[in-house]
Amino acid sequence: MTLSLSYSLDAESATLSESSDSVFEASLRRSAAYEHELKDLEERLLEGLSNCRALEGIIHDSFNSIKRKYRRVGQDMTHVPEIDHELAESLRVLAELEARLPAIRTQAAQVRLVYDSSRQKAEALAHDLRWLNRGWHKRCYEIIFTSESPVSWKWRTTLRTLFALASMVAVWMIWVALLGVTRAHRQRLVWGERLPS
């Protein structure tokens, strides 16, 4: 009965080990992909922000330079209103992009939080899978003799009680055997080949 139970437990733990390994590897691949996507997004956001600021500075400088030249020359330019209109439109677009940037940053922060919680869940799952991949005797030893096992207090108490009862029965059987040996020795019972049948 115990032998067939241990064979079935070994078969179940082998299939559980194979599936847990594949789940663990898939979790790691997904985590790596999310981390890579987050880094790419952060780099693109930083690059876009620096480009926006640089463009805004260039546009402001260009606009101020055009105004100065226009005042110096004092000529009536017909294309200045078009440039003014284009610059105003560009400034409006830049202001709009700059207004959207904090929202994009908060979204990136939320993605980071989701990634961190997913990574923590994957680590907890990996810990549970490592626990389940151990042999039953190692798990029982850890449940009975340490408090680091991830099982409920009811299960821990049950196994410790069973171990205490088994230990008491073993000690009692040894005690009875020793009493029998001492009694046989005191009564000078015959040992060996001349043992009475």
Side-chain angles (χ1 to χ4, degrees):
M1 174 75 178
T2 312
L3 187 59
S4 65
L5 180 61
S6 70
Y7 282 129
S8 65
L9 284 176
D10 287 342
E12 288 176 12
S13 66
T15 56
L16 182 60
S17 172
E18 291 172 4
S19 65
S20 63
D21 287 343
S22 64
V23 167
F24 180 64
E25 288 173 8
S27 302
L28 285 178
R29 281 195 302 271
R30 269 188 268 133
S31 295
Y34 289 151
E35 186 172 353
H36 183 68
E37 288 175 10
L38 281 173
K39 286 180 181 178
D40 286 345
L41 179 63
E42 187 176 357
E43 288 173 7
R44 282 187 278 153
L45 286 174
L46 290 174
E47 184 179 337
L49 177 63
S50 64
N51 288 342
C52 285
R53 287 183 180 157
L55 284 174
E56 183 180 13
I58 290 170
I59 289 172
H60 278 296
D61 291 343
S62 299
F63 188 71
N64 290 334
S65 173
I66 289 173
K67 280 186 175 180
R68 271 187 265 121
K69 287 180 183 178
Y70 180 74
R71 279 188 224 125
R72 255 188 255 144
V73 174
Q75 296 175 352
D76 216 14
M77 298 175 151
T78 58
H79 61 281
V80 170
E82 293 173 8
I83 293 175
D84 284 341
H85 176 68
E86 288 176 7
L87 284 174
E89 182 66 24
S90 297
L91 288 174
R92 184 189 63 77
V93 169
L94 283 174
E96 198 175 282
L97 288 174
E98 195 170 6
R100 284 181 38 204
L101 186 63
I104 293 171
R105 279 189 178 163
T106 56
Q107 289 173 353
Q110 290 172 349
V111 169
R112 167 84 52 193
L113 288 174
V114 168
Y115 167 74
D116 289 340
S117 67
S118 299
R119 189 184 71 232
Q120 290 170 354
K121 286 179 185 178
E123 288 171 357
L125 179 63
H127 177 70
D128 290 343
L129 290 175
R130 280 193 295 272
W131 168 257
L132 292 173
N133 283 338
R134 292 182 185 169
W136 64 270
H137 56 284
K138 288 182 182 177
R139 281 187 275 171
C140 287
Y141 175 82
E142 204 166 308
I143 290 170
I144 293 169
F145 295 111
T146 67
S147 60
E148 298 172 1
S149 58
V151 295
S152 68
W153 65 271
K154 292 177 183 178
W155 184 244
R156 188 178 294 135
T157 304
T158 303
L159 280 180
R160 287 179 180 175
T161 304
L162 288 174
F163 177 75
L165 288 175
S167 298
M168 284 191 263
V169 167
V171 168
W172 177 75
M173 290 174 69
I174 291 170
W175 178 255
V176 168
L178 287 176
L179 284 178
V181 167
T182 55
R183 192 175 116 236
H185 180 70
R186 265 190 258 134
Q187 292 179 1
R188 306 273 185 227
L189 293 175
V190 179
W191 294 92
E193 295 173 3
R194 297 174 31 200
L195 190 65
S197 54

